[in-house]
Amino acid sequence: MLIALPRGAHRITTHTAVRLALALVPMLITGCAAGSAGSAGSGGGRAFGGVGRREERVRIGSYAVVQAVAVSRRYVYSATDNGITVYDRLLNAWLPPLGRDDGFTDQQITVLAGDPVEDALWFGVPGAVVVYRPLTEQLQRTFVTGVPDVIAFDRSGTGDAIVRSGGSWTRVSRVGIATPLARQPAANTLIVPSTLPSILARFPALRSQSSLLLRNQQSDRALRNYPVISGAASPERGSEVWLGTNGDGLYRVDPTFLQATPLPFGLIEPGVGALALSVDGVWVAGLGQSSFRAGLTFASNDLQRWRWIDGTLSVPLLGVRTYSMTTRGSRAWLGTNQGLVRVRLDGSEDVAVWGGLDGLTDSRVLSVATRSDGAWAGTARGLVFVNDSTDTRNSRTRGLGARVLANTPVNALQFTGDTLWIGTEGGLFALPSPNEVTGGTLTRPLGNDPALRRPIRALAWSDSVLLAAGDDAVLSLAPRAGREPSRVDGLDARVVGQVTRVGIDDRSMWLAGTDGVIIAARSSNGIRVLRVGSDLPGAVLDVVASRDWMWVGTTAGLVRFRRAADGGLL
């Protein structure tokens, strides 16, 4: 049965040598006609009109633990807890991954195999064998009896799959016709895809995997222990194998010359706490939900370049929940539940932290605004300036300066020129020309709207407009014009649940919350609503936008949308 691939996904829940649990794409369980064992149906089409269409919305999870690998003529498939990644080894490029969307039933994948004849992936699920063809974005499902545990291929010209399921053998043709076999095929008539044990038997030198894969180990990081747990060999290249690790993603390895190339893809940890734009992509900080690996992830706009920065021995980032992040030059500043963290984005990847022992009023840093010589940290008990004019360790303890708004939670910070705007539980404040020694004089904005005195959750600035988002309203201010604030009717806080972020650029405005995102075009007043459960996989904690892309960070991962000419979404 040929099925157009929807915005569907996969998820692995268990793994053995030949088994792994993976959430099946929704069409396999909702879009297929019912059939009996041994029957096949057909249908067709390209998912979203093909790969180009799929790129309008791409969901990214964590793919660091590669539980199974399969190779076809052109593609390498890596199966993980959050879906299947697809790498084009001809073009050295990543395709959009196959990920899990909410609301669909999981089904266990029991075996994975790359097709030696065409560019396709075969995998087994209870009662069926499924073929995925990346070039046409098609799925083909054939019903069989039992649970498939072996997929091999006929050496004859047809190249049909020979599947063992429920102790019996079935021939599955390339058009989805299942024919039961009376006996087990002879071994010399089959092409059996490579496995990790067969690769290690062929290349014994790969048994010393740690020395091969840890050549770039940094001295200030904990010794990484990400053993190889899966593998597959390229069918036409005698010295090219692909190894999947338990935490460090996929590697391309030349076993003859013992050279390994890491191919990271996706987030270093599941869940997104905060985002910050880069010149050519986005930086992603996590939620601290992983006990295995944590840090920063960089994703390029085209999703081809990825970078992972771990915590150091002195500043481990495991269990660190990020509330806010901003970048300036070669540094990223993170407001976290364990203090203000600074990460160098250059080659050193140095990590430093300021916490309660360094003089912060509270280790919970909810918001951050940077200057050339440091950062203002909005904590759960006030606002503090942290001087970072040097990189010496002593500057960490001497660098704490002005303290403002004692015992007041500071939820959001935004510079507009020389003025620092502060969103607190007690409303909106401004700090003109803030002084890192004394702080300065706090002022209230003009206007009698009661929302100005209620909790302000998020702030954003573009052109001459400042947006201040509260629990029940979004206010538009024009600080330089001196006009009273007005309410932005298109951004209805009631639609998004608990407000988490607000944003604005020259083309659109957006409001994010636990229930979704509202996007309002500034020129046409068009409104687009993305809802959790149908459009988004989890509560939205941050949203940033570049010229062509909008990045949405959720509790269940990152989603990239392509923007339209008016700033909305395609």
Side-chain angles (χ1 to χ4, degrees):
M1 176 177 293
L2 292 179
I3 312 160
L5 177 67
R7 303 181 185 190
H10 310 252
R11 186 181 115 194
I12 297 176
T13 56
T14 61
H15 171 69
T16 65
V18 295
R19 296 183 179 225
L20 52 108
L22 186 62
L24 188 61
V25 282
M27 289 298 286
L28 297 182
I29 50 180
T30 61
C32 301
S36 59
S39 66
S42 65
R46 297 168 64 93
F48 316 146
V51 173
R53 180 70 176 171
R54 281 191 68 211
E55 289 184 346
E56 293 179 3
R57 175 189 180 273
V58 181
R59 177 182 167 186
I60 304 294
S62 176
Y63 310 100
V65 179
V66 179
Q67 298 174 331
V69 180
V71 184
S72 65
R73 295 170 59 188
R74 177 172 176 175
Y75 299 105
V76 181
Y77 311 90
S78 304
T80 74
D81 279 342
N82 288 285
I84 295 179
T85 64
V86 183
Y87 184 75
D88 187 333
R89 60 194 183 101
L90 176 63
L91 299 179
N92 293 322
W94 292 100
L95 272 63
L98 305 177
R100 179 178 60 88
D101 281 346
D102 292 338
F104 296 97
T105 305
D106 290 351
Q107 232 178 317
Q108 185 185 38
I109 285 185
T110 56
V111 62
L112 197 73
D115 195 312
V117 176
E118 63 172 320
D119 291 315
L121 172 69
W122 294 69
F123 55 93
V125 298
V129 175
V130 183
V131 185
Y132 168 58
R133 295 179 171 91
L135 285 174
T136 56
E137 285 296 319
Q138 290 178 330
L139 291 172
Q140 172 183 296
R141 180 177 187 176
T142 302
F143 297 100
V144 297
T145 301
V147 179
D149 58 1
V150 172
I151 297 178
F153 298 90
D154 193 343
R155 285 187 179 276
S156 68
T158 64
D160 292 343
I162 308 299
V163 180
R164 186 179 70 184
S165 60
S168 60
W169 293 85
T170 304
R171 175 185 294 272
V172 180
S173 73
R174 298 188 171 273
V175 295
I177 299 175
T179 305
L181 300 179
R183 62 181 65 89
Q184 177 178 340
N188 60 2
T189 65
L190 298 179
I191 299 173
V192 181
S194 59
T195 62
L196 181 59
S198 67
I199 290 172
L200 296 180
R202 182 180 174 188
F203 303 105
L206 292 180
R207 296 184 184 277
S208 58
Q209 302 152 355
S210 58
S211 60
L212 176 63
L213 304 185
L214 297 181
R215 290 178 176 173
N216 296 324
Q217 176 71 37
Q218 294 173 282
S219 60
D220 62 344
R221 262 66 178 180
L223 182 63
R224 297 185 296 169
N225 183 23
Y226 306 129
V228 173
I229 58 175
S230 58
S234 295
E236 83 295 355
R237 299 177 186 175
S239 189
E240 181 180 82
V241 301
W242 304 81
L243 301 181
T245 67
N246 188 27
D248 206 30
L250 181 69
Y251 277 78
R252 178 172 49 204
V253 178
D254 183 336
T256 302
F257 294 96
L258 293 181
Q259 296 178 339
T261 303
L263 296 169
F265 182 85
L267 307 180
I268 194 173
E269 61 176 308
V272 177
L275 302 170
L277 283 180
S278 175
V279 174
D280 56 349
V282 66
W283 286 96
V284 185
L287 286 174
Q289 297 175 337
S290 173
S291 59
F292 184 68
R293 190 174 185 183
L296 286 184
T297 298
F298 169 78
S300 63
N301 286 325
D302 59 3
L303 303 181
Q304 297 303 311
R305 291 179 292 113
W306 297 84
R307 182 181 172 193
W308 296 338
I309 300 179
D310 294 272
T312 62
L313 288 169
S314 58
V315 189
L317 295 179
L318 284 174
V320 174
R321 197 270 197 227
T322 302
Y323 299 110
S324 177
M325 176 169 57
T326 184
T327 58
R328 189 183 183 98
S330 63
R331 306 180 185 192
W333 293 88
L334 286 67
T336 77
N337 63 340
Q338 297 184 27
L340 178 66
V341 177
R342 185 207 64 199
V343 181
R344 293 291 297 266
L345 304 178
D346 54 17
S348 70
E349 298 184 353
D350 174 68
V351 183
V353 62
W354 290 260
L357 296 179
D358 298 305
L360 278 187
T361 54
D362 195 291
S363 293
R364 295 166 293 173
V365 179
L366 308 178
S367 54
V368 181
T370 60
R371 295 184 6 164
S372 59
D373 56 350
W376 288 91
T379 77
R381 297 177 59 194
L383 181 63
V384 181
F385 180 77
V386 178
N387 190 297
D388 190 40
S389 58
T390 70
D391 285 327
T392 63
R393 187 168 182 82
N394 288 337
S395 70
R396 292 179 54 244
T397 55
R398 295 201 307 263
L400 295 181
R403 292 172 171 80
V404 184
L405 293 167
N407 297 319
T408 301
V410 177
N411 302 317
L413 296 171
Q414 177 65 58
F415 270 110
T416 63
D418 293 333
T419 300
L420 178 61
W421 290 87
I422 309 166
T424 76
E425 288 294 309
L428 183 62
F429 294 88
L431 195 59
S433 301
N435 187 308
E436 62 270 21
V437 178
T438 62
T441 303
L442 285 171
T443 63
R444 288 275 193 180
L446 297 174
N448 298 317
D449 194 313
L452 292 171
R453 270 69 177 174
R454 295 172 184 161
I456 299 298
R457 305 297 178 189
L459 297 169
W461 166 261
S462 180
D463 305 324
S464 59
V465 177
L466 175 71
L467 296 183
D471 292 328
D472 56 359
V474 176
L475 300 175
S476 174
L477 294 84
R480 295 172 181 171
R483 296 194 303 267
E484 289 197 7
S486 59
R487 297 202 173 199
V488 182
D489 296 332
L491 301 181
D492 189 344
R494 297 169 297 180
V495 174
V496 300
Q498 178 63 54
V499 171
T500 55
R501 286 291 190 273
V502 69
I504 183 173
D505 63 11
D506 60 330
R507 293 180 292 164
S508 64
M509 303 176 290
W510 55 90
L511 180 68
T514 53
D515 293 341
V517 180
I518 302 175
I519 304 165
R522 297 178 68 177
S523 59
S524 63
N525 295 321
I527 300 293
R528 172 78 178 273
V529 178
L530 302 176
R531 301 188 184 278
V532 173
S534 56
D535 305 301
L536 300 167
V540 180
L541 300 182
D542 205 352
V543 179
V544 295
S546 61
R547 187 68 189 174
D548 298 319
W549 307 102
M550 177 168 284
W551 304 85
V552 181
T554 78
T555 54
L558 180 68
V559 186
R560 190 200 68 176
F561 293 91
R562 185 184 293 274
R563 301 184 74 187
D566 65 353
L569 305 182
L570 293 178

